[in-house]
Each structure stands twice: as C-alpha cells, then as structure tokens.
Amino acid sequence: MMTARVNPPSVDIEMKNHGLSRVGWIWINRPVDGNVIDRSMVQEIIRAVASLNKNPEVRVIVLAARGESFSCGIESGWLRAQASASMSDALDDTRKLAQLLQVLAECEKPTIARVQGNAVGIGAGMIAACDIGIAADHVRFTMVDDNLGMAPAVITPHLVRAIGARQCQRYFQTSEQLTAVRAAELGLVHEVVAPEALDEHITALIASLLLGDAQAQQASSKLIRAIAIAPGSVDMTADAVRVGARLRAGPSLRARMALPVERPFLSVHRVVLDEWMREAD
C-alpha cells in the first residue's frame, strides 16, 4: 500500500519557554531550495507574525531559517510569473511583499533575525525589518536577487533605515556581496558571532530583552519609527517627552517600584507627527 508523502510546512512556529515567559520562533523551512520566498510563504510568514504578535504570552519573536541559507531571495518561478503578469497582478504581489516587511517592522514584540546563512534580496529586507539582527561570521548578504537587474524597490525603505541612503546607492547598483563583518559595520546586523555560538548568543539576547518592560519596549519602538519617518523639519522632542511621562505614570513602572497603581495608563500618541501628517494631507 502506497502512502502519500506529506511535505513539511514551508513556515512553522516553535514556542520556547524562557523562565516564565514564552518566545515564538518563526522558521523558514525550505532548506532544499535555499529558503526562497514564494507567494504562499509570504502569507504564511505574515500570519505567523500576526499570530505571535497578538499572543499575550509571547514576549519576543525570533525569525530563523533551517538549512544552509537564511533566504536566497524570491523564488524564480514567482519572478517569472510576475514578469508576464498584468500590472494589477504585479502590483498585488508587490503589495504582499511590502506587507511582509511591514508586519515585521511594525510588530509590537521585539523581533530578532537569527541569520545562520546567506541572505539575498527579500532575505536581506526581512533582516533589516527586524529590530535586531545577529549573523554567523561566514554569512554573505546581497541586496539584489541573483543579478536579475531588478531594482530592490520593496526592501528599499527598510534597507535605507538600516544602512542609510548613501550605502544603498552603492550596494543596490553594484550587487556586491557584503561580508557579515561589513554588514555589521553598516548596521544591517548588530553583531557577528561564530556559527557554533549563534544560538547561545540569541539565548543571551532574549534573556536581556525579557528583563525589560514590555510596555516600555513597545512604546520605544513606536517612538523610534515615528522619528525615523518624520521630516527633518519636525521636532519630535514633544513626542519623546510625552511618551516618557506616560510610561513613568503607567502601572507597569509603578508596579516595578512597588507603588500602588493609581493612574490609568494612557496609550502612546504622536502629537507632533500627527499634526505634520494632517498638514501633509
């Protein structure tokens, strides 16, 4: 009797306990194909991030990949389909890729990219979209998918924030490979470690994140994103002051200081940025 072969999921979630807290690991799981990203995987990663983000038990999210590569970019068959698709279909696919990076960048939980292997195109974009990137020392990064001549448009906002416009001008146009050390110098990843020390380093980093206050981490991330997208003419000092005051009056800090929780915690509101956005409209 023949049994049907069941393929493993392209993306799976693993929950790990760290003391009293839980950490969600999102594994990209197409090692035979270099963990290339196709249309279905985009949706799977988006769903995984959204699921962990709304899970109150999860404090940290780790984006990782099985096999030798972190991600070798977009799957070639999907690229060929996009090249012959209508403008409407091409826009739809591009929006899905942009949404993938956006949900990582705007996740309310701290996100760590565990980079055990090479990252190309959208792979580099996912790393840039995460809060923290840790790479093994043998890893290489390329901004453009396989020298196809395609401008890396979708990953651009995240790479510009990570390494700056000046560096993007060079590496988007030359398709040079970045060593892990060079990627750390530019800011694409924060640290470079030996492959055998990667998981130990990730574990220590998670422990450090768990010492922090979840509400303060969330508020800080929102403030950083607001400042990053605000024009240079906008003074965000008022926003920073307001966030700091609200956190200091919030129940989380008061509980840590053994003070009675007397004041309601107000949600973070970007006063100056909101005014600028209304004026821009």
Side-chain angles (χ1 to χ4, degrees):
M1 179 178 178
M2 295 182 64
T3 58
R5 179 179 177 182
V6 178
N7 293 323
S10 302
V11 176
D12 61 79
I13 297 176
E14 179 183 9
M15 302 296 292
K16 295 185 180 182
N17 293 324
H18 286 256
L20 299 177
S21 301
R22 306 201 78 189
V23 175
W25 287 63
I26 300 173
W27 289 95
I28 302 171
N29 191 33
R30 289 183 63 179
V32 174
D33 299 323
N35 290 316
V36 291
I37 304 298
D38 61 18
R39 183 185 288 106
S40 64
M41 287 181 69
V42 168
Q43 293 301 116
E44 289 180 58
I45 297 172
I46 290 172
R47 284 194 294 267
V49 175
S51 173
L52 294 174
N53 190 40
K54 69 181 181 182
N55 186 336
E57 296 182 351
V58 174
R59 281 288 314 277
V60 179
I61 298 173
V62 180
L63 180 64
R66 293 193 169 96
E68 296 183 357
S69 300
F70 181 79
S71 175
C72 291
I74 298 175
E75 193 265 329
S76 59
W78 192 20
L79 280 176
R80 286 193 294 270
Q82 287 180 345
S84 58
S86 66
M87 178 58 71
S88 176
D89 288 342
L91 283 172
D92 186 53
D93 282 344
T94 304
R95 289 191 188 101
K96 287 185 174 67
L97 288 169
Q99 184 185 4
L100 164 61
L101 299 178
Q102 186 175 2
V103 297
L104 283 169
E106 297 183 357
C107 183
E108 296 180 351
K109 312 290 176 70
T111 53
I112 303 171
R114 174 193 179 274
V115 190
Q116 93 297 353
N118 292 356
V120 177
I122 192 69
M126 289 189 291
I127 296 164
C130 289
D131 296 327
I132 302 168
I134 308 296
D137 58 18
H138 66 279
V139 169
R140 297 293 184 269
F141 301 84
T142 310
M143 306 308 173
V144 181
D145 280 290
D146 297 327
N147 294 315
L148 294 176
M150 296 178 63
V154 173
I155 67 173
T156 298
H158 306 277
L159 265 298
V160 168
R161 283 197 288 270
I163 70 175
R166 182 67 171 169
Q167 299 299 338
C168 287
Q169 289 282 7
R170 171 177 176 174
Y171 293 107
F172 280 19
Q173 298 185 80
T174 63
S175 302
E176 296 172 87
Q177 280 194 338
L178 295 176
T179 64
V181 171
R182 181 59 176 155
E185 291 173 349
L186 295 178
L188 180 54
V189 296
H190 291 85
E191 294 185 64
V192 175
V193 299
E196 61 272 17
L198 183 59
D199 286 330
E200 180 182 354
H201 202 82
I202 296 290
T203 299
L205 185 57
I206 290 171
S208 181
L209 286 168
L210 293 177
L211 290 175
D213 178 75
Q215 289 179 334
Q217 289 169 338
Q218 179 183 343
S220 296
S221 292
K222 286 184 176 180
L223 181 62
I224 290 167
R225 289 196 298 269
I227 292 172
I229 65 174
S233 59
V234 174
D235 184 0
M236 299 294 294
T237 304
D239 293 72
V241 169
R242 191 179 181 95
V243 170
R246 285 180 167 173
L247 287 174
R248 284 166 176 76
S252 182
L253 179 60
R254 295 179 68 82
R256 284 175 175 245
M257 297 177 68
L259 296 172
V261 181
E262 299 172 345
R263 305 179 184 181
F265 181 77
L266 303 177
S267 62
V268 176
H269 180 65
R270 299 176 300 178
V271 181
V272 175
L273 185 59
D274 285 349
E275 291 178 355
W276 164 71
M277 293 181 73
R278 282 196 296 270
E279 291 175 0
D281 291 339

